């Protein structure tokens, strides 16, 4: 998943101006919509979450990055394609979570950004087990 810092322009013909939506806006919308779904523990791989968690502890560093972690987008003037990497909670049917995420992301992006979502690809990168400690891998290295 690559982060595209590009800006896309769109607007109805005959309108009195142009509305520009940056790729990062669609990325954040998709990320927030995915997180709203029950059964989604986190977005991004374990390593990306660990780096992000450490970065967020430093004042001024990583601000807003957690909203885009695990999300990649391609945005055109009329359409968008989205790639998500998610971690699901153990015990919840993964296909149900993926379907709900896909529907929620499509709805949010189409409603808020006015772009037709042509695809939402989802990679389930991990399952959060009930007995796993969230900070386990980070705190063992530095004490």
């Amino acid at each position: 998943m690559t982060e595209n810092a590009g800006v896309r322009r769109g607007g109805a013909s005959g309108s009195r101006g142009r509305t520009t939506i940056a790729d990062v806006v669609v990325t954040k919308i998709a990320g927030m919509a995915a997180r709203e779904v029950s059964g989604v523990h986190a977005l991004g791989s374990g390593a990306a979450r660990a780096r992000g968690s450490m970065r967020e502890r430093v004042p001024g560093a990583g601000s807003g990055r957690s909203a885009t972690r695990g999300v990649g987008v391609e945005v055109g003037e009329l359409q968008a394609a989205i790639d998500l990497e998610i971690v699901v909670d153990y015990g919840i049917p993964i296909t149900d979570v993926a379907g709900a995420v896909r529907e929620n992301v499509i709805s949010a992006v189409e409603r808020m950004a006015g772009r037709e979502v042509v695809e939402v690809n989802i990679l389930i990168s991990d399952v959060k087990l009930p007995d796993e400690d969230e900070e386990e891998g980070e705190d063992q290295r530095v004490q």
Side-chain angles (χ1 to χ4, degrees):
M1 290 181 220
T2 61
E3 181 174 311
N4 186 352
V7 175
R8 306 293 181 233
R9 292 166 169 56
S13 58
S15 66
R16 294 182 184 222
R18 182 177 299 219
T19 301
T20 303
I21 300 175
D23 289 6
V24 70
V25 173
V26 176
T27 303
K28 287 182 178 183
I29 292 169
M32 292 302 296
R35 284 179 180 82
E36 291 173 351
V37 174
S38 178
V40 173
H41 178 73
L43 270 68
S45 66
R49 290 192 326 272
R51 283 191 305 275
S53 176
M54 292 177 72
R55 195 177 314 119
E56 288 167 3
R57 292 178 185 162
V58 177
S63 59
R65 180 67 182 131
S66 63
T68 61
R69 187 180 312 125
V71 183
V73 301
E74 289 182 39
V75 182
E77 288 188 26
L78 302 174
Q79 298 178 325
I82 300 163
D83 297 319
L84 300 169
E85 183 176 355
I86 66 174
V87 177
V88 298
D89 291 321
Y90 176 81
I92 299 175
I94 292 172
T95 55
D96 292 352
V97 173
V101 166
R102 188 171 283 112
E103 288 178 26
N104 207 43
V105 167
I106 290 169
S107 175
V109 170
E110 288 184 349
R111 179 176 45 85
M112 296 175 70
R115 300 297 185 264
E116 175 192 10
V117 177
V118 294
E119 66 181 11
V120 176
N121 299 308
I122 300 172
L123 168 65
I124 308 298
S125 62
D126 202 357
V127 174
K128 169 66 169 80
L129 300 176
D131 60 347
E132 285 182 332
D133 183 13
E134 193 68 30
E135 304 290 322
E136 187 176 292
E138 299 169 28
D139 291 338
Q140 286 182 354
R141 185 171 172 191
V142 179
Q143 298 204 14

